[in-house]
Amino acid sequence: MSEHEHSYTMEQTSRLLGISAQKLRRWDEQGILGALRTEGGHRRYPREVIDRLVQANGGGFAEKTSRELASIKKTLAEKRRIIQLLIESEGRYRDLVETSHDLIWQTDAEGRFTYLNAAAHEIFGLAPQDLIGRCFFSFETNGAHVPNRRFLSTLRRNGEVQNHVTHLTTARGDDRWIGINARITRDENGQMLGIRGTARDVTEQHLAIRRAEHVALHDALTELPNRGALQRQVETALNTGQSGAVVMIDMDHFKRINAVFGHGAGDQLMLGLSGVLRNVARDRSGELFRVGEDQFVLHLQEAGREDVLSTAAIALDAVQNYRLETSPNRVVSSITASIGIALYPLHGSEWSALLAATETAIHQAKDQGRNRVALFNPASDALRSSHRRTHWSRLITEALDQDELALYVQPAVQLSTGAEVHHEIFLRIRDDRGNWTEATQFMGTAESLGYAPALDQRVVARMLTHIHEHDRNQRRRYSVNLSAASVADAAWVRELADIVRTSDVPGDRLVFEVSEKAAMENIDATSAFIEQLRPLGARFALDDFGTGFSSFYYLKRFEVDYLKINGSFTQDLRDSSESLVFIKAVNGVARELRRQVVAKGVETAETLGLLKDAGMLYAQGNFLRPVSPLGAASAATRVRGTRRA
């Protein structure tokens, strides 16, 4: 068989396979379907190969090839589309990374930067390329070393760390606090490849937190650390087994200074004394705190008993020798303090016990005549007083927590007719035996420990509820005595005004009483209290008149409706001409100022007769009508010693 019999020409092959001659030439060049060359250069294709291709594809070689090629084209197009999406996604990712305000970073296994985004410049003060090969700790500030080593230790142990804050100094010398999130990257064998993570400049937030902490732990007026800061420092000393002393300096008669010279003078005095006592603290290796309106504390660590007593004596002398000039020709002098000392751990191994011992020592100093130093004495009367305070503190807390308070009532009446002027509310709580105890037993403790405003608010709420639900007599008024702490607290007064304003009880059915002593100790606050409640229709009484600073002049400052004379004057009428003169004088002034005077404590018919002879128009006491539980007293009950109009 000749060569031509063993091969096909290009035209024959094209016809048999259904493929164009041009494609056959291209396949030949690409080695897909090779051709033989004749001497004349013509392409010929092996017959055996072509026949096998035709037979294998059932004569549809061209069609199948087209389908396969179409599938390949489609696959290639899909791959190109996916590659394009990946390119676009990577572009978006790079845009996000490079434009992010957060630092995005990566290091090698040694912690040296291998990548940083553009935020590196703001955080470190250098361009990313200038930071490659360096690390965070290249910029750490003195003091950040130990926390940063802890950070690395935690990272290696847990594999990641979140919200670690470190203090850095930038290449420009600026302080920066940086919050870092980090995670270790590992190979398939668990070997560390490096670290990657994010970081953010948290300087503003960090400084804001530090400012807030400073405010929380410092006195606004003197910038001295406050009671909370003192507690932290003392508790740290106690927990580490140190010894030392708490020296509490309590200004004598500070409220009188406020009353006479004004609160501005009081603030000036505390500022001046803070400077004087700072010097004492510095010279004696102590630290000064302001723990109350009129109280400072010297904390002396690792100081012996004699050193502590000597320091306290120096502080006492410094206070006594201080002079405050409130105006060119007016000087506050003769300032004294009572100083109480408690040693730790001798007088207390816990903060609460140590504080109680210090306050008891203050009471000891005051009981001994003030202007002196007292070291805590567990056998003193002051300690027994402290135990009583603890006892009543527990009962008051239980009464508030369990809302177990009782209200009693006694009317003040017009003597000529027996008509009720108002019903005075009295608070009682249960004692250890379950009996209702009068407020005179516990109110002093409540005021000194800060419970009084909560008790006052609870009494007012109960009174309003009773009036709304049980007493529709629009002419009957109810009176409640408020503590000095409540009246002096502007926020508490605003809340009281809101309660009265939003209640269903008309304001003109309410009388708020403030003791003369409390009013005189804080004249401005009392006036502001009256001014805020007066527009709501409320009326006001100055209670226990004649016991405190009793000054008719100051009556013009207080727009009160009633003066309630203390029962000691009333009950002393038979044996004291001075009491009779006082009551007549109060009646005379009250008429001029259009105030109603109520004599309290009327216990006998004889006292009632003397009051009538003295010109008294209104009175209150058990002889006229005894104190009874709120709601139990009948408005129709006859008042003894009076007649109906």
Side-chain angles (χ1 to χ4, degrees), residues 59-360:
F61 181 81
E63 180 181 351
K64 183 175 181 181
T65 300
S66 297
R67 287 198 303 271
E68 289 176 350
L69 288 174
S71 176
I72 290 170
K73 284 182 179 180
K74 184 176 180 181
T75 300
L76 290 174
E78 181 65 17
K79 287 182 178 178
R80 282 196 297 272
R81 188 182 72 83
I82 291 172
I83 290 171
Q84 183 62 34
L85 289 174
L86 287 173
I87 292 172
E88 292 175 358
S89 176
E90 183 180 4
R92 286 194 298 272
Y93 170 75
R94 286 193 173 278
D95 286 343
L96 288 172
V97 168
E98 292 304 324
T99 60
S100 172
H101 291 293
D102 288 351
L103 173 66
I104 298 173
W105 54 273
Q106 184 170 317
T107 75
D108 59 19
E110 301 300 320
R112 295 171 299 210
F113 290 128
T114 57
Y115 169 79
L116 305 97
N117 68 346
H121 190 277
E122 181 61 29
I123 287 181
F124 295 105
L126 293 173
Q129 61 268 24
D130 296 328
L131 290 162
I132 302 300
R134 303 180 72 174
C135 65
F136 278 110
F137 302 143
S138 301
F139 299 87
E140 72 180 8
T141 304
N142 292 336
H145 177 80
V146 173
N148 285 340
R149 294 303 176 268
R150 291 195 189 120
F151 161 74
L152 282 178
S153 175
T154 304
L155 182 62
R156 291 193 179 99
R157 185 173 60 253
N158 299 335
E160 67 176 328
V161 172
Q162 294 185 350
N163 302 320
H164 172 74
V165 177
T166 186
H167 187 191
L168 304 181
T169 302
T170 70
R172 297 186 293 264
D174 299 327
D175 276 346
R176 288 282 187 275
W177 278 266
I178 307 300
I180 302 174
N181 297 316
R183 177 177 294 176
I184 290 177
T185 58
R186 304 182 186 275
D187 61 18
E188 61 274 9
N189 298 319
Q191 295 300 311
M192 180 175 170
L193 294 174
I195 310 169
R196 63 172 59 136
T198 61
R200 173 177 293 184
D201 186 342
V202 295
T203 302
E204 286 190 14
Q205 299 94 309
H206 181 80
L207 293 178
I209 291 171
R210 289 181 63 178
R211 285 193 295 270
E213 288 178 345
H214 179 86
V215 169
L217 295 174
H218 286 77
D219 172 57
L221 176 66
T222 63
E223 279 296 304
L224 288 171
N226 62 14
R227 182 182 291 259
L230 173 65
Q231 180 176 347
R232 285 190 182 185
Q233 192 176 103
V234 172
E235 286 180 339
T236 299
L238 290 169
N239 293 335
T240 54
Q242 298 181 52
S243 61
V246 174
V247 180
M248 184 173 288
I249 305 162
D250 187 286
M251 297 302 120
D252 295 330
H253 306 300
F254 181 72
K255 287 183 171 59
R256 290 187 184 177
I257 294 173
N258 275 336
V260 175
F261 297 96
H263 283 275
D267 287 346
Q268 283 182 267
L269 176 62
M270 298 311 287
L271 274 171
L273 288 173
S274 70
V276 169
L277 293 172
R278 267 194 182 102
N279 293 335
V280 175
R282 184 183 61 250
D283 294 343
R284 307 294 290 192
S285 301
E287 186 168 357
L288 183 67
F289 299 77
R290 188 185 185 199
V291 298
E293 181 186 20
D294 55 354
Q295 287 183 329
F296 296 97
V297 163
L298 274 170
H299 181 211
L300 303 171
Q301 297 189 64
E302 299 298 336
R305 176 191 179 109
E306 295 306 318
D307 285 341
V308 172
L309 289 171
S310 173
T311 301
I314 292 171
L316 189 70
D317 189 58
V319 171
Q320 193 170 11
N321 289 322
Y322 182 74
R323 299 290 183 271
L324 173 66
E325 185 175 337
T326 59
S327 62
N329 297 314
R330 200 174 193 190
V331 175
V332 181
S333 60
S334 301
I335 301 164
T336 63
S338 298
I339 297 182
I341 302 172
L343 306 175
Y344 63 84
L346 177 63
H347 296 144
S349 57
E350 294 182 353
W351 162 250
S352 57
L354 191 63
L355 180 63
T358 310
E359 291 177 341
T360 299

Side-chain angles (χ1 to χ4, degrees), residues 568-569 571-583:
S568 62
F569 290 99
Q571 294 161 13
D572 200 29
L573 278 177
R574 189 184 67 174
D575 303 317
S576 173
S577 58
E578 289 84 0
S579 294
L580 183 61
V581 170
F582 175 78
I583 286 177

